[in-house]
Amino acid sequence: MSEDLIQQVSPLSFTWETSDPFLFCAHHKDHYPAGNGLGGPQASLSGRNLGYDFTLKDGWRMYHGSRIPGFPVHPHRGFETVTIVLNGFVDHSDSHGSAGRYGDGDVQWMTAGSGLQHAEMFPLLHQDKDNPLELFQVWLNLPKTKKFADPYYAMFWAEDIPCHRSRDDQDKAIEVRIIAGHLGAIQALPPGPDSWASDPDNGVAIWLIKLTEGAHWTLPAATTPVNRSLYYYRGAGLKIASQTIPSFHRVQLLESREAQLENGREDSYLLLLQGRPIGEPVTQHGPFVMNTTEEIQQAINDYQATRFGGWPWPDQEQVHPLEKGRFARYANGHVETK
């Protein structure tokens, strides 16, 4: 029976393979040291390939940052990013004037659509202790009819993200944080208006699942044909349909059947990504995802000509004042603080 339900089990690397309508999922986990008061590490950067530091040296990476870890200003067109921060903080700035600091359970939903530039930096806020960071960035494709949608940016604050909590017959706890889709009557916050996830018929779900030690839980069958993947990123001893799943593996499941999850000797953490395939050609060139090579060339030309609105910030590695708390400022001037 498990062979019918479980279609494939494969190990995970830094960038996780996904299925249509998703493009990929990046898993960032870095144990940054104390900060230097400017957002960067209180540690030597010698020996690092600054500008392209993806080697896990001393437990952390600078990525494309030269002074502050993260991803300085860069463009996107034709898809969406959903950034899920489990631990640590991200500073967002974009070419439309939007900005924010979010983390410790917050989620940012951004539709690049017709094109924008943004920076995603990981400021090291604490100077007297380490600054661990863990996050997922999920790339969700847009269909051809929405590739040139107006860019959109929203924060899902941790306190507002719906959560399904239950206990099994042995009183073991299960928690499902619903970032997209629904579980029973519990519905996620609304995604971008042009998102593939905005139509319930597309069955898009992004869930964070926590099973406490020894918990049993049934993942319900999907109500529409979708690609469904479970990413088991932390834990030990998990079984799905009586088949043992190694930690840090992807499990591709048949969506039309429910799946019995039996946890092992420690808490287990999983990410669920599912959705109805868009079913269109995908042509990608770095930060641009379109349907044809001609559209990719047009994206490059448009970016070179307009810089997608330019860059209104003083620094390509833009970070906000370190003493500032969690906030979001939108292009229309509206500000949220937490």
Side-chain angles (χ1 to χ4, degrees):
M1 292 291 285
S2 66
E3 290 77 6
D4 298 329
L5 171 66
I6 298 175
Q7 299 180 311
Q8 187 175 355
V9 179
S10 52
L12 298 174
S13 57
F14 169 70
T15 300
W16 297 354
E17 292 187 7
T18 57
S19 299
D20 188 4
F22 299 98
L23 297 163
F24 82 90
C25 177
H27 178 231
H28 300 269
K29 189 172 184 180
D30 296 271
H31 198 94
Y32 290 113
N36 61 8
L38 300 172
Q42 199 180 111
S44 172
L45 298 179
S46 64
R48 292 182 178 272
N49 184 23
L50 292 180
Y52 199 87
D53 177 27
F54 284 75
T55 300
L56 195 63
K57 181 177 183 290
D58 300 326
W60 50 278
R61 297 157 281 211
M62 290 292 288
Y63 299 104
H64 291 309
S66 61
R67 296 174 288 107
I68 300 163
F71 295 81
V73 57
H74 57 282
H76 288 307
R77 172 180 278 183
F79 64 100
E80 303 186 280
T81 62
V82 182
T83 307
I84 306 163
V85 184
L86 305 179
N87 195 14
F89 292 91
V90 176
D91 275 9
H92 167 88
S93 309
D94 69 35
S95 54
H96 292 254
S98 298
R101 170 169 292 157
Y102 62 102
D104 285 357
D106 299 329
V107 174
Q108 182 205 71
W109 195 295
M110 191 189 79
T111 305
S114 60
L116 54 68
Q117 294 192 81
H118 75 155
E120 304 161 286
M121 306 307 299
F122 308 148
L124 308 185
L125 303 182
H126 304 296
Q127 299 172 50
D128 57 349
K129 61 180 181 180
D130 289 348
N131 290 272
L133 175 83
E134 185 174 13
L135 65 82
F136 306 119
Q137 185 168 91
V138 179
W139 285 22
L140 175 60
N141 201 7
L142 287 167
K144 184 177 181 65
T145 57
K146 300 293 186 178
K147 290 288 189 188
F148 286 87
D150 290 338
Y152 173 86
Y153 157 67
M155 287 303 315
F156 295 174
W157 302 112
E159 301 91 324
D160 302 329
I161 295 173
C163 188
H164 182 281
R165 294 181 175 89
S166 61
R167 290 185 174 272
D168 65 14
D169 55 8
Q170 299 298 314
D171 203 35
K172 302 289 188 177
I174 302 98
E175 178 180 291
V176 183
R177 298 183 70 221
I178 304 165
I179 296 161
H182 70 93
L183 178 53
I186 301 179
Q187 179 70 46
L189 298 170
D194 294 294
S195 176
W196 189 246
S198 66
D199 185 346
D201 290 342
N202 292 332
V204 175
I206 303 175
W207 299 350
L208 289 172
I209 303 167
K210 177 184 177 182
L211 305 176
T212 56
E213 173 269 330
H216 290 200
W217 184 64
T218 300
L219 172 65
T223 57
T224 189
V226 294
N227 288 326
R228 170 179 273 189
S229 292
L230 271 176
Y231 298 86
Y232 182 31
Y233 65 91
R234 193 189 317 157
L238 177 70
K239 293 183 179 180
I240 300 178
S242 300
Q243 179 174 328
T244 299
I245 306 299
S247 184
F248 218 65
H249 277 64
R250 175 193 186 192
V251 184
Q252 294 170 260
L253 296 171
L254 184 68
E255 85 288 354
S256 60
R257 289 179 48 196
E258 63 182 25
Q260 303 292 335
L261 278 62
E262 308 169 48
N263 197 23
R265 60 186 180 274
E266 60 185 66
D267 293 353
S268 284
Y269 298 81
L270 303 100
L271 172 68
L272 170 76
L273 297 181
Q274 74 168 39
R276 184 165 69 88
I278 294 173
E280 296 176 352
V282 173
T283 302
Q284 181 175 351
H285 180 77
F288 306 133
V289 181
M290 304 301 290
N291 297 105
T292 67
T293 55
E294 292 79 12
E295 290 169 341
I296 290 291
Q297 187 58 56
Q298 186 61 54
I300 294 170
N301 294 344
D302 291 348
Y303 174 63
Q304 290 174 341
T306 69
R307 297 290 163 177
F308 293 158
W311 189 243
W313 305 96
D315 195 339
Q316 292 197 341
E317 298 186 23
Q318 180 67 27
V319 295
H320 310 303
L322 298 190
E323 67 276 9
K324 197 169 182 64
R326 296 151 63 217
F327 79 98
R329 185 171 74 237
Y330 298 94
N332 63 5
H334 176 66
V335 177
E336 298 174 352
T337 58
K338 290 290 178 178

